[in-house]
């Protein structure tokens, strides 16, 4: 199963940040093939919102909504099941500094 793991951080964390080396999490998962890809995203202020209304393409800069939490990165995991994805996510430093959202890829009928 493939899972998108959103790495979410608070704009105002209420605890000391965990300075764990994320490479200690990344390297073994890359070597095992469980982590397909992962990236850190540019700040939300660099985002562009795109929508089409009345046949016109409208764009705006910056985040779409005001929020206290932002997606700051992602990883795609290829694992046996949700339990394995949870176990992997629980070892990520952001599990202690923010939160991780696991979302399965849609399985389409063949």
């Amino acid at each position: 199963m493939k899972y998108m793991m959103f790495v979410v951080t608070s704009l105002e964390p209420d605890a000391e940040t965990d300075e764990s080396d994320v490479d200690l999490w990344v390297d073994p998962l890359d070597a095992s093939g469980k982590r397909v890809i992962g990236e850190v995203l540019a700040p939300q202020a660099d985002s562009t919102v795109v929508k089409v209304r009345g046949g016109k393409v409208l764009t705006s800069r910056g985040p779409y909504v005001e929020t206290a939490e932002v997606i700051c990165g992602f990883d795609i995991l290829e694992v046996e099941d949700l339990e394995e994805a949870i176990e992997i996510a629980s070892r990520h430093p952001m599990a202690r500094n923010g939160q991780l959202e696991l979302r399965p890829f849609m399985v389409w009928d063949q």
Side-chain angles (χ1 to χ4, degrees):
M1 290 188 77
K2 278 190 183 173
Y3 283 87
M4 171 72 81
M5 184 177 80
F6 294 103
V7 180
V8 182
T9 187
S10 172
L11 294 176
E12 299 176 11
D14 62 355
E16 259 185 63
T17 59
D18 181 340
E19 299 299 326
S20 297
D21 185 350
V22 74
D23 289 333
L24 296 174
W25 180 86
V26 168
D27 293 343
L29 290 172
D30 283 356
S32 71
K34 298 290 182 181
R35 180 176 174 267
V36 177
I37 188 173
E39 293 292 337
V40 175
L41 300 174
Q44 67 180 32
D46 293 343
S47 66
T48 301
V49 176
V50 179
K51 57 186 172 184
V52 176
R53 298 294 183 271
K56 294 184 181 184
V57 177
L58 306 173
T59 62
S60 59
R61 298 280 296 157
Y64 178 67
V65 295
E66 293 287 326
T67 181
E69 297 173 333
V70 293
I71 297 172
C72 61
F74 70 92
D75 294 276
I76 295 177
L77 307 176
E78 184 142 3
V79 296
E80 291 298 317
D81 52 30
L82 177 59
E83 289 74 27
E84 184 179 17
I86 291 169
E87 191 278 324
I88 289 171
S90 71
R91 292 187 274 127
H92 193 289
M94 285 303 292
R96 293 175 296 283
N97 295 335
Q99 64 186 27
L100 301 160
E101 177 185 337
L102 295 167
R103 191 175 304 174
F105 279 51
M106 181 65 77
V107 178
W108 301 100
D109 294 333
Q110 298 294 338

